[in-house]
């Protein structure tokens, strides 16, 4: 394993959807002690975040239309460390509220 170099540890990898398609413009952040080191995925879903140090981080990955992925990760002393993240799509549920008589709710129907 190659030890960390001048750019510290580089976390790299790819972000995909559940069908395996790459997700472009996803935000990839490594968070420790309130400090964020982050990057953005390319159209291929690839990312690289440099200047990280050995130890524990919270990995946060966000993209429009997808549920945020949050995981605890541990970086060892290797210079390059690979991550693959699969994001789940948001689920939209349409809800229609109907008053007891079958019509629309009015403010007076609320408790």
């Amino acid at each position: 394993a190659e030890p960390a170099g001048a750019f510290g540890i580089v976390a790299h990898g790819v972000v995909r959807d559940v069908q395996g398609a790459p997700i472009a413009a996803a935000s990839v952040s490594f968070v420790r002690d309130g400090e964020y080191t982050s990057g953005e995925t390319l159209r291929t879903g690839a990312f690289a975040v440099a200047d990280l140090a050995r130890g524990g981080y919270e990995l946060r990955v966000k993209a429009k239309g997808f549920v945020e992925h949050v995981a605890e990760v541990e970086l060892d002393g290797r210079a390059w460390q690979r991550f693959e993240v699969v994001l789940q799509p948001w689920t939209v549920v349409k809800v229609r509220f109907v008053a007891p008589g079958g019509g629309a709710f009015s403010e007076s129907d609320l408790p």
Side-chain angles (χ1 to χ4, degrees), residues 4-5 7-8 11 23 25-27 30 34-35 42 44-45 50 63 72-73 77 83 90 94-95 97 99 101 103 108:
F7 297 105
I23 298 175
S27 169
F30 288 81
E35 292 188 24
L42 303 173
T44 61
E72 297 295 323
V73 297
F83 294 87
W90 279 107
K94 292 185 178 185
V95 177
F97 293 97
S108 64

Side-chain angles (χ1 to χ4, degrees), residues 13-16 21-25 41-47:
V14 66
V15 178
R16 300 184 188 281
I23 298 175
T41 60
L42 303 173
R43 63 179 169 79
T44 61
F47 70 89

Side-chain angles (χ1 to χ4, degrees), residues 21-53:
I23 298 175
S27 169
V28 179
S29 300
F30 288 81
V31 184
R32 178 161 63 184
D33 299 330
E35 292 188 24
Y36 288 70
T37 305
S38 59
E40 188 172 279
T41 60
L42 303 173
R43 63 179 169 79
T44 61
F47 70 89
V49 177
D51 203 25
L52 298 169

Side-chain angles (χ1 to χ4, degrees), residues 14-24 26 41 43-45 61 63-67 84-90:
V14 66
V15 178
R16 300 184 188 281
D17 67 16
V18 293
Q19 282 81 36
I23 298 175
T41 60
R43 63 179 169 79
T44 61
V61 182
K64 185 175 181 180
F66 294 89
V67 177
E84 295 202 21
V85 177
V86 175
L87 295 183
Q88 300 292 324
W90 279 107

